[in-house]
Amino acid sequence: DCRVAAPSRGSVSPVPPERHLLRAKDTVDARFREPLDVPALARTAYLSPAHFSREFRRAFGETPHRYLLTRRLERAAALLRNTDHSVSDICFTVGLRSVGSFTTSFRRAYGMSPTAYRATHPPRERVRVPTCVLQAYARPHGSSFREDSTAA
């Protein structure tokens, strides 16, 4: 007989280990500004730090630390392109603690210093849109919550 028994109502199918690794990766993506380290990320994946590092690298092709640094540098590059914040402010905003290490890591990743990167990406002209217009277009269509009705 080749029938497969249906799982009982009380049983829970095990979660694949990759799902736990994705949870840790999502944590990095969402909380890259916070002081994250391998032990903290390993806890989110329910693994020991050493096993977590090996499995993360196997699954995603880079170490957790490298992935976190890459996310921080990507965000820093966006801030350099789109804001006039100082390099040191951007460094601390993205969760790094040393401007010197930030500059070195940025140069390795982008082939130039943060200041030179900013110079190659001049700010675009920005059109200021009034807040009332933004709010009008951001309101969900068909929403009737707490709106005055025409009845009465």
Side-chain angles (χ1 to χ4, degrees):
D1 196 347
C2 295
R3 283 184 261 162
V4 177
S8 65
R9 289 183 178 221
S11 71
V12 175
S13 59
V15 175
E18 292 79 18
R19 295 291 300 158
H20 294 298
L21 292 172
L22 283 172
R23 179 182 296 132
K25 189 176 179 204
D26 290 344
T27 298
V28 170
D29 291 338
R31 298 174 38 201
F32 65 89
R33 292 178 180 91
E34 299 175 22
L36 296 172
D37 57 10
V38 170
L41 294 171
R43 282 191 298 276
T44 65
Y46 304 110
L47 297 170
S48 72
H51 188 61
F52 169 72
S53 291
R54 282 190 304 273
E55 291 301 307
F56 192 96
R57 184 175 187 147
R58 184 188 59 74
F60 302 116
E62 60 186 340
T63 65
H65 176 71
R66 172 59 57 190
Y67 183 77
L68 174 60
L69 182 61
T70 301
R71 295 293 79 75
R72 288 175 170 169
L73 292 176
E74 288 172 351
R75 182 63 183 144
L79 291 170
L80 287 165
R81 287 190 310 268
N82 300 314
T83 71
D84 61 353
H85 298 290
S86 70
V87 170
S88 61
D89 283 346
I90 290 172
C91 168
F92 299 123
T93 297
V94 299
L96 296 169
R97 297 181 184 153
S98 164
V99 176
S101 295
F102 166 62
T103 301
T104 300
S105 297
F106 194 92
R107 186 182 307 271
R108 280 190 197 128
Y110 289 91
M112 62 184 78
S113 71
T115 305
Y117 181 85
R118 174 177 272 162
T120 62
H121 295 86
R124 294 179 232 149
E125 288 254 351
R126 295 197 179 122
V127 176
R128 175 134 167 72
V129 178
T131 303
C132 60
V133 173
L134 290 174
Q135 289 174 341
Y137 281 95
R139 179 177 293 154
H141 298 289
S143 172
S144 61
F145 179 73
R146 306 277 301 168
E147 294 180 1
D148 295 331
S149 65
T150 57

